[in-house]
C-alpha cells in the first residue's frame, strides 16, 4: 500500500467523477430529438447545422462529430449536409428495458476551438411486442368451500412495450363460475385476479378449463392467451402463512452460480396433505426465472446465473407458498446486488494527432473520454500521464479530457514521445487501464547550417592543372529532410580586381573546391573569398565561412639582368630633354641615391667587361704566336645562343668566337658584340677595322 501511495504522489493526478457540471466550453442548453424505434438505417433525425446555428462548412472544418455516452455508433453526422442520421436500428426494449422515457444522451463535439453541445435522443416506443404468458397452461387448485368473491392470483403476462402499447386489459372465456378482476400493482403494471362468482362443487365438477386473454393498447392491438386448469379440491380451512411479507438480502455480484441466497419458509396449521407446503415463484419475469430458482420443498432460493451490478442493481421476486389443499400465501424477496470492483476503467479516443510541429505550443494531441461502469469508489477515476513529458492533461466536459503539448518542442533534442495515459479507479483492489499514444515531432527549419571550421586555409602549387581539386569545405544541419539538405555556393567578393569566378568553382552538393586555371605565384600569391551553405527549408537558413588560398612558388623563372638592356652593343646613354625639370622636396634625394647606385653598377660592369676583353686579347695574342685556331663554319645552333627574353642572350646579339683547335676544349678567345644598328658615322669609321679583324682571325660571319 505504501508503494501505491508513493506512486500516486509521484504522478500528476486528475480525479474524475462521472457526474460533473457543464464546463465553460459546453453549451448550457440541451438539444432534444426523438425517433421511433425500429426506424430504418439512414433515416433523418435532425439537421445539427441549423439547430446549432452553424454553417455546414464550419461543421466540417471543426471536425464535428457525435459522441454517445455508451460509445455506441447509433448516430452518424453527415458533414456535407449537417444532417444527423440513424446508423443502426434502435430497439427501445434492448436499450432501455422497462425504463421510460428511453433517452440516449450524447454530445456534439467541435474542435478549433473545442466546444461541446449536450443533446438527448428520445426513442419512442412502437407496438412491436405482443403480450405473452410465460406458461402455456396455469393450474389453480380451489377448495370447494371457497366463498363467492374469493380471488385467486394468476401469473402475470409479459409485454415489453410501454405506455399505451403495453398491457391494458384481460378477458376470460365465457363461463358461469369466474370473472377477471384487474389489480393495479402500483408500479404501472396490472395483474389479473380470478374472482369466484358461483360456488364450486367437487362432486359436481372436479375440473374447469378457462382461456385467459391479455390485450395491449396498440393500434392495432396485440394479444396473448393461456389456458387455466382449475382443480376443485376438498375443503382446506387453513392457508400457509409467511413469517414476514418482505424479505431483503444483499448479494455480491461475484457470487458463484449455485450459491444459496436465502431460505424462505411458511407455516400451515392443517394436517396431512393440506399442511404440506410447496414453494414457487409468482408472477416472475423471464429474467428472474433465468437468474434464480427455488427449491419447492425447502423454499431455498439459489443463484442460477451470474449477477452483474452494472446491468441490474436489484431484483423483486414474489414467492408463493401453496398447501396441499390449494390455499396459498405470498411474500416478496428483495435481492440487492452489491457492486464489486470488477470493471477496469475504459479509455475511448475520440480524436488523435500523431504528428505535431516542433515550434507549436499547446497543440491538441488527443481528445478522449474515460468511464468506469462500477459505482461509488469503484467508479471514481484518477487520470494521469508521465511527469517527465512536456504534455498536460486538461478536463473538459463531463468525463472528457484533452491531451495538450505544454510548450514548444525541440525535434533535435527528441523526435518521438510515447505518452501513456494511466486511468486508475479507487476500488479495492484498484484496477488500472493504460493507453499509449506515440507522437512524432515534425521538423521545422530552425537550425542554420554550421561549418566544421570558421575559416579554411588551402595551399596550391603554382602552375597547377586546370580543374584541380584543391580542398573541401563541409557544413552540417541539425534539421531533417529538405531542411537539412545543404547547397554550397561562392559568395560575391568585395575586391573588384579579383575575378573569383574565373579562378575557383565549388560543387554545390559536396563543397569540393576546384581551381579553374593555372595559378601564377608571381602574379597572385594569396587571395580570400567566402563560401555560403544554404539549406532548403522555408524560409531557407544559411551561414558563411572564410576560405584563404595560398599559392606556393615553384622554380619556374630563370634569373635575368635588369639593367643595362642586352639588346645594344654598347652601354646605353640615357637622354633627357632640355626642358626636363629637376625632381621636387623628397624626390630629389631619392633621385640622387638612385643616380649614385646606377653609376656604381655601370662602372663596375664596364670595368668587368674591360678586364674580360683585356684578358682575352692577351690570350689571343699568345695563341696567334703559337698557331691558328679552328673556326666553325656557319652560325651556332639556336639553342646555344638563343634564349627567351628572361635576361640572357637574345637572337638580336651575335658574337665572334674563336675556338682553340686541336686541344679538345672549346674556349672563348674573343667576345665582342656586333650591332648592325649602330649609328652610320660610327659604322663607317669602324667598318674597315672590323674587316681587318675578321681577316686576321680567319672567321667569317
Amino acid at each position: 500500500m505504501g508503494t501505491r501511495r508513493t506512486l500516486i504522489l509521484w504522478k500528476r493526478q486528475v480525479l474524475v467523477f462521472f457526474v460533473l457540471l457543464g464546463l465553460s466550453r459546453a453549451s448550457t442548453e440541451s438539444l432534444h430529438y426523438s425517433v421511433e424505434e425500429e426506424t430504418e438505417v439512414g433515416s433523418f433525425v435532425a439537421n445539427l447545422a441549423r439547430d446549432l446555428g452553424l454553417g455546414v462548412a464550419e461543421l466540417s472544418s471543426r471536425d464535428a462529430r457525435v459522441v454517445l455516452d455508451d460509445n455506441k455508433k447509433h448516430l452518424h453526422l453527415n458533414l456535407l449536409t449537417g444532417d444527423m442520421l440513424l446508423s443502426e436500428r434502435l430497439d427501445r426494449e434492448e436499450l432501455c428495458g422497462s425504463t421510460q422515457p428511453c433517452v440516449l444522451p450524447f454530445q456534439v463535439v467541435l474542435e478549433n476551438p473545442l466546444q461541446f453541445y449536450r443533446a438527448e435522443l428520445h426513442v419512442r416506443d412502437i407496438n412491436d411486442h405482443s403480450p405473452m404468458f410465460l406458461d402455456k397452461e396455469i393450474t389453480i387448485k380451489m377448495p370447494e368451500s371457497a366463498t363467492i368473491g374469493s380471488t385467486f392470483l394468476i401469473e402475470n403476462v409479459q409485454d415489453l412495450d410501454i405506455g399505451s402499447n403495453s398491457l391494458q386489459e384481460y378477458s376470460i372465456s365465457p363461463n358461469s363460475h369466474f370473472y377477471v378482476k384487474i389489480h393495479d400493482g402500483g408500479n404501472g403494471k396490472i395483474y389479473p385476479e380470478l374472482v369466484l362468482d358461483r360456488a364450486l362443487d367437487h362432486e359436481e365438477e372436479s375440473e374447469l378449463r378457462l382461456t385467459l386473454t391479455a390485450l395491449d393498447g396498440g393500434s392495432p392491438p396485440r394479444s396473448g392467451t393461456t389456458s387455466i386448469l382449475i382443480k376443485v379440491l376438498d375443503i382446506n380451512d387453513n392457508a400457509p402463512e409467511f413469517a414476514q411479507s418482505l424479505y431483503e438480502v444483499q448479494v455480491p455480484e461475484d457470487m458463484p452460480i449455485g450459491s444459496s441466497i436465502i431460505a424462505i419458509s411458511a407455516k400451515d396449521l392443517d394436517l396431512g396433505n393440506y399442511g404440506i407446503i410447496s414453494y414457487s415463484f409468482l408472477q416472475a419475469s423471464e429474467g428472474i426465472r433465468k437468474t434464480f430458482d427455488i427449491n419447492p420443498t425447502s423454499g431455498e432460493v439459489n443463484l442460477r446465473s451470474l449477477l452483474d451490478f452494472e446491468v441490474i442493481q436489484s431484483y423483486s421476486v414474489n414467492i408463493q407458498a401453496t398447501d396441499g389443499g390449494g390455499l396459498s400465501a405470498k411474500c416478496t424477496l428483495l435481492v440487492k446486488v452489491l457492486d464489486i470492483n470488477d470493471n477496469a476503467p475504459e479509455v475511448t479516443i475520440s480524436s488523435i494527432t500523431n504528428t505535431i510541429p516542433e515550434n507549436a505550443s499547446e497543440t491538441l494531441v488527443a481528445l478522449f473520454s474515460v468511464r468506469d461502469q462500477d459505482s461509488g469508489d469503484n467508479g471514481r477515476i484518477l487520470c494521469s500521464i508521465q511527469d517527465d513529458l512536456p504534455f498536460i492533461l486538461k478536463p473538459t466536459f463531463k468525463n472528457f479530457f484533452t491531451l495538450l503539448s505544454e510548450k514548444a518542442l525541440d525535434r533535435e533534442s527528441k523526435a518521438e514521445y510515447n505518452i501513456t495515459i494511466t486511468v486508475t479507479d479507487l476500488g479495492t483492489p484498484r484496477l488500472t487501464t493504460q493507453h499509449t499514444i506515440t507522437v512524432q515531432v515534425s521538423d521545422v527549419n530552425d537550425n542554420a547550417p554550421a561549418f566544421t571550421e570558421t575559416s579554411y586555409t588551402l595551399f596550391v602549387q603554382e602552375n597547377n592543372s586546370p580543374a584541380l581539386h584543391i580542398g573541401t569545405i563541409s557544413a552540417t544541419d541539425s534539421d531533417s529532410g529538405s531542411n537539412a539538405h545543404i547547397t554550397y555556393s561562392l559568395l560575391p567578393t568585395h575586391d573588384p580586381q579579383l575575378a573569383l569566378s574565373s579562378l575557383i568553382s565549388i560543387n554545390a552538393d559536396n563543397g569540393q573546391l576546384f581551381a579553374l586555371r593555372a595559378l601564377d605565384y608571381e602574379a597572385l600569391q594569396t587571395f580570400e573569398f567566402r563560401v555560403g551553405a544554404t539549406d532548403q527549408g522555408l524560409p531557407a537558413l544559411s551561414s558563411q565561412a572564410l576560405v584563404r588560398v595560398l599559392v606556393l612558388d615553384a622554380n619556374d623563372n630563370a634569373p635575368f639582368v635588369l639593367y643595362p638592356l642586352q639588346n645594344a652593343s654598347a652601354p646605353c646613354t640615357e637622354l633627357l630633354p632640355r626642358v626636363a625639370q629637376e625632381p621636387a622636396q623628397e624626390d630629389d634625394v631619392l633621385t640622387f641615391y638612385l643616380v649614385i647606385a646606377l653609376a656604381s653598377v655601370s662602372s663596375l660592369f664596364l670595368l668587368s667587361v674591360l678586364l674580360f676583353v683585356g684578358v682575352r686579347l692577351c690570350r689571343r695574342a699568345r695563341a696567334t704566336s703559337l698557331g691558328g685556331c679552328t673556326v666553325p663554319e656557319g652560325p651556332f645552333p639556336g639553342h646555344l645562343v638563343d634564349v627567351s627574353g628572361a635576361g640572357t642572350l637574345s637572337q638580336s646579339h651575335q658574337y665572334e668566337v674563336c675556338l682553340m683547335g686541336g686541344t679538345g676544349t672549346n674556349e672563348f678567345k674573343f667576345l665582342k658584340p656586333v650591332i648592325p644598328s649602330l649609328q652610320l658615322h660610327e659604322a663607317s669609321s669602324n667598318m674597315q677595322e672590323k674587316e681587318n679583324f675578321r681577316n686576321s682571325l680567319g672567321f667569317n660571319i
Side-chain angles (χ1 to χ4, degrees):
M1 180 63 70
T3 304
R4 289 181 177 271
R5 290 178 179 174
T6 303
L7 180 60
I8 293 174
L9 293 176
W10 179 77
K11 292 185 175 181
R12 295 179 296 179
Q13 303 170 343
V14 182
L15 182 60
V16 178
F17 296 91
F18 279 98
V19 181
L20 298 174
L21 296 176
L23 300 178
S24 59
R25 293 185 180 179
S27 174
T28 58
E29 297 182 359
S30 296
L31 302 175
H32 301 277
Y33 304 101
S34 65
V35 66
E36 285 187 347
E37 66 172 332
E38 302 300 334
T39 302
E40 292 290 334
V41 174
S43 297
F44 174 83
V45 178
N47 187 278
L48 289 181
R50 180 183 64 248
D51 295 344
L52 298 178
L54 302 174
V56 176
E58 185 176 1
L59 284 181
S60 178
S61 63
R62 296 182 65 183
D63 195 19
R65 57 192 174 278
V66 174
V67 181
L68 282 87
D69 285 2
D70 60 356
N71 294 321
K72 297 293 181 61
K73 303 296 183 181
H74 301 311
L75 299 172
H76 168 68
L77 177 59
N78 189 332
L79 296 178
L80 298 178
T81 62
D83 292 338
M84 183 170 63
L85 309 175
L86 285 177
S87 57
E88 61 185 17
R89 284 178 179 266
L90 301 180
D91 187 344
R92 191 207 64 79
E93 289 75 25
E94 181 182 350
L95 293 173
C96 301
S98 60
T99 304
Q100 59 173 325
C102 181
V103 176
L104 300 179
F106 65 94
Q107 289 84 35
V108 180
V109 182
L110 295 94
E111 297 183 7
N112 303 319
L114 188 64
Q115 192 172 7
F116 295 84
Y117 291 90
R118 293 177 292 179
E120 295 178 348
L121 179 64
H122 183 192
V123 182
R124 301 194 303 272
D125 183 57
I126 63 173
N127 191 25
D128 57 342
H129 295 88
S130 299
M132 182 180 64
F133 290 92
L134 299 180
D135 298 319
K136 297 300 181 182
E137 184 179 272
I138 301 174
T139 301
I140 301 177
K141 297 177 181 180
M142 295 184 184
E144 61 179 346
S145 61
T147 59
I148 296 175
S150 297
T151 59
F152 300 89
L153 296 175
I154 304 175
E155 285 288 344
N156 187 30
V157 71
Q158 302 291 320
D159 192 343
L160 298 179
D161 295 322
I162 61 173
S164 62
N165 294 325
S166 65
L167 181 65
Q168 297 297 320
E169 61 178 314
Y170 290 90
S171 64
I172 196 171
S173 58
N175 66 89
S176 59
H177 290 280
F178 299 94
Y179 67 89
V180 175
K181 179 182 179 182
I182 305 301
H183 175 69
D184 188 1
N187 56 355
K189 296 183 178 181
I190 59 176
Y191 302 94
E193 291 182 338
L194 195 61
V195 181
L196 183 61
D197 193 42
R198 181 185 169 188
L200 299 173
D201 188 351
H202 174 74
E203 288 72 22
E204 179 182 350
E205 194 174 18
S206 62
E207 288 185 352
L208 297 173
R209 283 192 176 274
L210 307 174
T211 299
L212 180 64
T213 301
L215 197 67
D216 65 19
S219 179
R222 292 174 176 262
S223 62
T225 61
T226 188
S227 177
I228 300 178
L229 174 61
I230 298 176
K231 293 184 177 182
V232 182
L233 306 175
D234 284 344
I235 189 169
N236 178 23
D237 56 352
N238 288 290
E241 292 182 357
F242 286 100
Q244 58 193 70
S245 60
L246 178 66
Y247 294 84
E248 292 187 10
V249 64
Q250 294 181 337
V251 181
E253 61 176 326
D254 61 345
M255 177 173 279
I257 296 175
S259 299
S260 175
I261 295 176
I262 192 173
I264 303 294
S265 64
K267 293 182 179 181
D268 194 309
L269 299 178
D270 292 324
L271 298 176
N273 186 51
Y274 295 131
I276 298 176
I277 299 174
S278 64
Y279 299 92
S280 62
F281 291 142
L282 177 65
Q283 300 173 348
S285 66
E286 185 179 6
I288 290 178
R289 295 189 180 199
K290 289 182 177 180
T291 307
F292 307 99
D293 61 21
I294 188 168
N295 189 311
T297 302
S298 64
E300 186 178 37
V301 179
N302 300 313
L303 188 62
R304 190 174 181 181
S305 63
L306 292 175
L307 302 176
D308 191 349
F309 175 85
E310 288 71 39
V311 178
I312 299 177
Q313 290 77 42
S314 64
Y315 297 87
S316 180
V317 184
N318 293 323
I319 298 177
Q320 178 177 261
T322 305
D323 62 17
L327 297 180
S328 63
K330 76 165 187 174
C331 70
T332 301
L333 173 62
L334 181 61
V335 180
K336 293 184 177 179
V337 182
L338 298 179
D339 182 43
I340 64 170
N341 194 23
D342 60 343
N343 290 281
E346 300 175 6
V347 178
T348 302
I349 303 295
S350 298
S351 67
I352 187 170
T353 303
N354 294 109
T355 303
I356 59 176
E358 62 175 318
N359 61 347
S361 60
E362 292 197 8
T363 301
L364 178 65
V365 176
L367 171 66
F368 64 93
S369 61
V370 296
R371 72 167 184 168
D372 194 313
Q373 298 185 34
D374 297 318
S375 63
D377 287 343
N378 295 334
R380 293 179 180 175
I381 293 177
L382 296 175
C383 188
S384 63
I385 60 174
Q386 304 100 303
D387 274 342
D388 57 345
L389 298 180
F391 298 90
I392 57 174
L393 282 178
K394 284 188 178 181
T396 54
F397 171 73
K398 203 174 181 180
N399 57 335
F400 280 86
F401 284 87
T402 55
L403 176 63
L404 305 170
S405 59
E406 188 176 21
K407 58 184 179 180
L409 306 177
D410 185 7
R411 189 204 63 83
E412 288 72 36
S413 298
K414 192 169 186 179
E416 180 181 284
Y417 292 89
N418 290 319
I419 306 171
T420 301
I421 301 173
T422 302
V423 183
T424 306
D425 62 27
L426 298 181
T428 302
R430 295 193 173 188
L431 300 179
T432 299
T433 298
Q434 291 185 330
H435 186 89
T436 300
I437 297 175
T438 300
V439 177
Q440 303 287 340
V441 182
S442 61
D443 186 47
V444 173
N445 193 24
D446 55 352
N447 290 280
F451 282 96
T452 56
E453 300 179 24
T454 57
S455 64
Y456 297 82
T457 301
L458 306 178
F459 297 90
V460 183
Q461 188 76 31
E462 69 168 329
N463 301 321
N464 59 282
S465 60
L468 176 68
H469 176 222
I470 62 174
T472 302
I473 61 170
S474 177
T476 58
D477 197 311
S478 301
D479 295 318
S480 65
S482 61
N483 295 333
H485 187 80
I486 298 176
T487 300
Y488 299 92
S489 61
L490 298 176
L491 300 181
T493 179
H494 298 292
D495 187 356
Q497 297 181 356
L498 180 63
L500 184 62
S501 60
S502 64
L503 294 176
I504 299 295
S505 69
I506 189 170
N507 188 313
D509 296 325
N510 54 30
Q512 291 184 347
L513 292 170
F514 299 89
L516 295 179
R517 61 181 177 83
L519 301 178
D520 187 359
Y521 173 83
E522 287 71 28
L524 183 64
Q525 288 80 31
T526 181
F527 59 94
E528 295 179 351
F529 57 92
R530 288 190 173 272
V531 294
T534 305
D535 59 30
Q536 294 186 1
L538 290 175
L541 301 179
S542 62
S543 60
Q544 300 180 8
L546 178 65
V547 178
R548 179 180 294 105
V549 178
L550 299 180
V551 182
L552 301 179
D553 185 33
N555 190 19
D556 59 345
N557 291 286
F560 62 92
V561 177
L562 294 177
Y563 190 87
L565 297 178
Q566 299 302 308
N567 58 355
S569 59
C572 182
T573 302
E574 298 291 341
L575 301 177
L576 294 177
R578 294 180 180 271
V579 296
Q581 298 181 356
E582 294 184 358
Q585 287 124 356
E586 300 173 358
D587 293 342
D588 294 341
V589 177
L590 180 60
T591 301
F592 175 75
Y593 289 120
L594 289 175
V595 170
I596 292 176
L598 182 60
S600 301
V601 171
S602 300
S603 301
L604 290 175
F605 177 76
L606 292 176
L607 180 59
S608 300
V609 171
L610 293 176
L611 289 175
F612 180 79
V613 172
V615 170
R616 290 303 178 186
L617 290 176
C618 292
R619 288 183 178 179
R620 190 190 64 175
R622 186 181 306 167
T624 302
S625 60
L626 294 176
C629 63
T630 303
V631 180
E633 294 290 335
F636 278 171
H639 68 278
L640 297 179
V641 298
D642 243 351
V643 189
S644 65
T648 58
L649 301 177
S650 66
Q651 291 183 352
S652 59
H653 293 76
Q654 292 185 348
Y655 294 85
E656 294 178 347
V657 179
C658 180
L659 300 180
M660 193 68 176
T663 62
T665 61
N666 298 332
E667 184 179 4
F668 280 108
K669 294 299 182 177
F670 180 77
L671 179 61
K672 183 177 182 181
V674 178
I675 303 176
S677 58
L678 292 176
Q679 295 180 4
L680 293 177
H681 65 279
E682 293 180 352
S684 59
S685 59
N686 295 329
M687 184 62 67
Q688 185 63 38
E689 181 182 353
K690 284 182 178 287
E691 186 65 24
N692 296 331
F693 175 70
R694 280 195 294 267
N695 293 334
S696 63
L697 290 179
F699 180 70
N700 297 323
I701 297 179

